Amino acid sequence: MALYTLGKTPLENIFQFQVNGSPIQTLYTSLTAQLRQLQQKGNTLLLAEPVITPASSTGAASIAWYYEGSAQPIAFTSLTPSEQETLKTQLTQNLALLFPPEKDPDPLLLQAFSILSLEKIFVADGFIILTQWGLSPLSFPAQTPIPFKDSPLGQLITAVPPSPQPEPAAPSPKAPPYPTPPPFLPTPATPWTSWARWLLRPVTYGLIICTFFAIGFFLGQRLIWAEHPTQIAHIPTPQARALALNDPAQQKKNAQLAQEVQSLQEQLKHPTCDLTQNRVAPGLNHLLPTKAAPNQKDGQPFAGSLARLLSQSTVLVLALSDKGISLGSGFFVTPDTIVTNRHVIALEHIKLLAVTNKQIGRLIPASIENTPMENIDLAVLKVTGIPPQQPLALTRAANPLDDVVAAGYPGMLMRNDGNFEKLLKGDIESIPGIILTKGQINAIQTDRSGLPILPHSATVSKGNSGGPLVDMCGRVVGINTFVTSEKETSSHGNYALKSDILITALQNSGIPITVKEGACTLETPTSPSLPPASPPSAAPAPTPSAENKTGTPPTVGELPKNPPDHNTGAPAQPAPNAQPQPNPGTTPETKPQ
């Protein structure tokens, strides 16, 4: 099963039928159940699932249409003429089941099966799928919905009962017409005025041109005089220059400048930075060590940078329910198994649970696995129908001051991603980019439930929940779970559940994860595209700096902030097992990411 998008309909100049003050599309579930009951009698009609986007300052309201099935839907316009006629015959037969001649029509069905056009009908899995249902074009000039008998589906029924029409609105009182302005009567030109006009026009143009020329000439002379003065402080220029050169203070400054120039010239002969030897910043995009890198689907160690590994293994988790959308992060621990925080998907009546990233390329459904993790803020998801994905290895090796990287989809930064906005509006192929931040492990603690947690300095926020915290070898040392804040100092802390509890829970559930032991050791990075060049003959070969030896990467930069608001987090209260001990004398505020 896959989720297919069938297009989006702007609601400009279109009448949307209402039921008890709400759009008729909100009754999609009950209408679909009614159609499913008629399938035993031969009904093959289905309604596309609507997702309504309210109007905003950036655009009008719209409805996106979706279908979940196994086959790719085919549009009416893609069928041959004979196939289109066959489809119309099937539509007539289905409408006869919905509107039997011997019974009065159901007003709700008359409004629901009012569509804009037959061209937006799709065929898939043996069903006829209707989009743009519950909508009607406005009649002119009354600006009311057209009768059902005149709608595209109504014209296919031989005997159509009259459809209920909404009561027409009382006509607004017309404003009194504005008085007609008197006609404009131009003043007739006399022969003298015409002659004077033709005479003064070239004179006026000539004066304007001369004025601009005089201004330009004056400014040019001023600039030339400033560049080549004849006197300086009432002293002829040659004498003033000689006095300045013989001044002892000026001679001292000139000598210092000459020494600086000579020193810079010597430094250029022996540069400390040789781009031919290392064109990759140490530790920023280094290749992961072979022994520490996770295995690929072919069993070979992952060959690539840390940023590439995280972009392939970290996913955006999206949960949709009647109450809104919850967004979080997750990561693969096997080619088809994802780990995230339980509070990311802790919604009632989830209608859609899906994941995506740039590697997958589209929004795919996910299912929740039943694992013995009731007392831990962890959840396991399964995905099918896609090629095996790149998993991350886990490790128990973590110490204070170890460099770490947090990967995920924080809502505070995602809102400026144009693909993220398109995804929320229904474009399932618009995939936002991953956000990476770098920091260090501050300490190893236990929370009030006795679970190990890692406070760290890699910036995370609402939406990072469930994302991995990895060391510089790409091994998961923790799963980002919550943040704390203190209003008194306007500061906050970032916390991750340590991987020990994650490893134990996954192994007890029989999930075949990869665990790497030992400290993370990076080799000295070298350029992957250029071989080391020989040092210049005039200078000794430069020795690697301490930063090159350790491979310490620079800090990852931040993205812009404050786009339009969306619900990008999980429920308001974090898991009870994910609370750090507050410091004495402070009142920290703990929030899930």
Side-chain angles (χ1 to χ4, degrees):
M1 300 291 285
L3 187 66
Y4 299 95
T5 178
L6 305 181
K8 183 162 57 173
T9 304
L11 299 181
E12 294 180 334
N13 300 323
I14 293 177
F15 184 85
Q16 185 179 22
F17 287 99
Q18 305 285 322
V19 178
N20 296 328
S22 299
I24 194 172
Q25 286 79 15
T26 57
L27 302 180
Y28 164 77
T29 302
S30 61
L31 291 172
T32 300
Q34 190 172 353
L35 293 178
R36 294 286 187 186
Q37 293 177 357
L38 292 176
Q39 288 180 4
Q40 299 176 356
K41 299 181 180 181
N43 174 57
T44 58
L45 276 179
L46 287 180
L47 298 177
E49 182 176 359
V51 176
I52 302 176
T53 301
S56 64
S57 58
T58 58
S62 62
I63 302 179
W65 309 98
Y66 297 91
Y67 169 71
E68 186 174 4
S70 57
Q72 175 73 37
I74 302 175
F76 178 84
T77 54
S78 300
L79 302 176
T80 63
S82 60
E83 291 173 339
Q84 292 180 358
E85 293 300 324
T86 303
L87 179 61
K88 290 181 180 180
T89 302
Q90 295 178 0
L91 282 171
T92 303
Q93 296 172 355
N94 283 284
L95 293 173
L97 295 175
L98 294 172
F99 305 105
E102 65 275 7
K103 294 183 180 180
D104 293 333
D106 186 349
L108 179 63
L109 292 180
L110 289 177
Q111 296 180 0
F113 282 86
S114 176
I115 64 175
L116 299 180
S117 171
L118 293 178
E119 296 180 355
K120 296 302 181 179
I121 294 178
F122 292 80
V123 179
D125 300 323
F127 293 102
I128 302 174
I129 308 160
L130 301 182
T131 65
Q132 298 183 344
W133 56 271
L135 304 176
S136 172
L138 296 175
S139 62
F140 182 83
Q143 296 296 303
T144 58
I146 64 174
F148 180 76
K149 64 183 181 64
D150 297 331
S151 66
L153 293 182
Q155 296 176 4
L156 298 177
I157 304 177
T158 56
V160 181
S163 58
Q165 296 293 325
E167 296 182 0
S172 58
K174 295 184 177 180
Y178 292 101
T180 304
F184 174 74
L185 299 177
T187 304
T190 62
W192 184 88
T193 56
S194 300
W195 175 82
R197 185 184 304 114
W198 284 104
L199 179 62
L200 294 176
R201 183 176 299 172
V203 175
T204 304
Y205 291 162
L207 290 176
I208 294 175
I209 294 173
C210 292
T211 301
F212 279 103
F213 180 79
I215 294 174
F217 180 80
F218 174 76
L219 294 177
Q221 289 295 323
R222 294 288 297 176
L223 291 175
I224 294 174
W225 182 84
E227 290 290 336
H228 304 283
T230 58
Q231 289 187 346
I232 300 177
H234 304 288
I235 302 176
T237 302
Q239 298 180 12
R241 184 177 293 110
L243 291 175
L245 292 176
N246 294 329
D247 182 61
Q250 186 63 42
Q251 291 177 350
K252 183 178 180 181
K253 291 181 180 180
N254 292 342
Q256 293 176 351
L257 291 175
Q259 292 178 358
E260 291 182 9
V261 171
Q262 184 179 3
S263 175
L264 293 175
Q265 290 176 345
E266 291 296 327
Q267 293 181 20
L268 289 175
K269 295 179 182 179
H270 311 290
T272 58
C273 176
D274 189 353
L275 295 180
T276 61
Q277 292 193 20
N278 183 11
R279 301 185 66 176
V280 179
L284 182 59
N285 286 316
H286 63 270
L287 297 179
L288 296 177
T290 303
K291 295 182 179 179
N295 292 335
Q296 303 180 96
K297 57 184 179 182
D298 57 1
Q300 298 298 321
F302 179 86
S305 65
L306 176 60
R308 180 183 175 189
L309 172 65
L310 293 176
S311 66
Q312 294 183 9
S313 57
T314 308
V315 297
L316 170 66
V317 181
L318 183 147
L320 175 65
S321 70
D322 294 332
K323 296 183 179 180
I325 299 177
S326 175
L327 298 177
S329 306
F331 57 95
F332 284 95
V333 292
T334 72
D336 62 349
T337 306
I338 297 171
V339 171
T340 186
N341 281 137
R342 180 160 48 88
H343 70 255
V344 172
I345 59 173
L347 299 178
E348 296 181 359
H349 310 296
I350 294 180
K351 297 172 59 178
L352 174 66
L353 178 61
V355 299
T356 187
N357 64 11
K358 291 283 188 180
Q359 179 75 9
I360 298 174
R362 60 185 176 89
L363 202 63
I364 60 171
S367 59
I368 304 175
E369 289 291 294
N370 294 323
T371 53
M373 300 183 183
E374 291 80 8
N375 298 326
I376 309 173
D377 192 5
L378 296 174
V380 177
L381 309 179
K382 278 281 187 179
V383 293
T384 57
I386 59 173
Q389 299 298 305
Q390 174 62 53
L392 291 178
L394 291 83
T395 184
R396 297 181 178 89
N399 297 290
L401 297 184
D402 282 356
D403 291 330
V404 289
V405 173
Y409 298 85
M412 182 178 64
L413 301 181
M414 294 296 298
R415 293 169 188 160
N416 266 0
D417 193 317
N419 286 331
F420 181 68
E421 290 289 334
K422 294 179 182 178
L423 179 65
L424 293 181
K425 292 180 179 179
D427 188 354
I428 62 174
E429 295 183 354
S430 294
I431 311 301
I434 190 174
I435 303 298
L436 305 176
T437 57
K438 183 175 176 292
Q440 293 180 330
I441 297 176
N442 302 129
I444 300 177
Q445 302 174 340
T446 55
D447 67 357
R448 296 173 181 174
S449 302
L451 298 178
I453 57 176
L454 297 177
H456 59 87
S457 60
T459 304
V460 295
S461 63
K462 204 172 185 180
N464 274 109
S465 286
L469 183 70
V470 302
D471 59 15
M472 302 311 295
C473 293
R475 308 176 303 177
V476 179
V477 298
I479 176 170
N480 291 310
T481 304
F482 63 95
V483 297
T484 60
S485 62
E486 291 183 353
K487 297 181 180 179
E488 294 83 357
T489 59
S490 300
S491 59
H492 73 280
N494 314 301
Y495 287 84
L497 284 176
K498 197 173 185 295
S499 59
D500 300 43
I501 189 65
L502 178 59
I503 294 173
T504 303
L506 295 177
Q507 290 178 341
N508 291 341
S509 301
I511 298 176
I513 61 175
T514 301
V515 180
K516 300 281 187 177
E517 302 295 347
C520 173
T521 303
L522 299 179
E523 300 176 356
T524 302
T526 58
S527 172
S529 57
L530 295 178
S534 301
S537 57
T543 58
S545 64
E547 182 178 353
N548 284 337
K549 291 180 179 178
T550 59
T552 304
T555 303
V556 179
E558 296 185 355
L559 296 180
K561 59 182 180 178
N562 293 334
D565 187 20
H566 293 288
N567 178 13
T568 57
Q573 297 297 329
N577 60 337
Q579 300 285 344
Q581 294 288 349
N583 295 327
T586 63
T587 55
E589 179 185 357
T590 305
K591 303 177 182 178
Q593 300 164 16

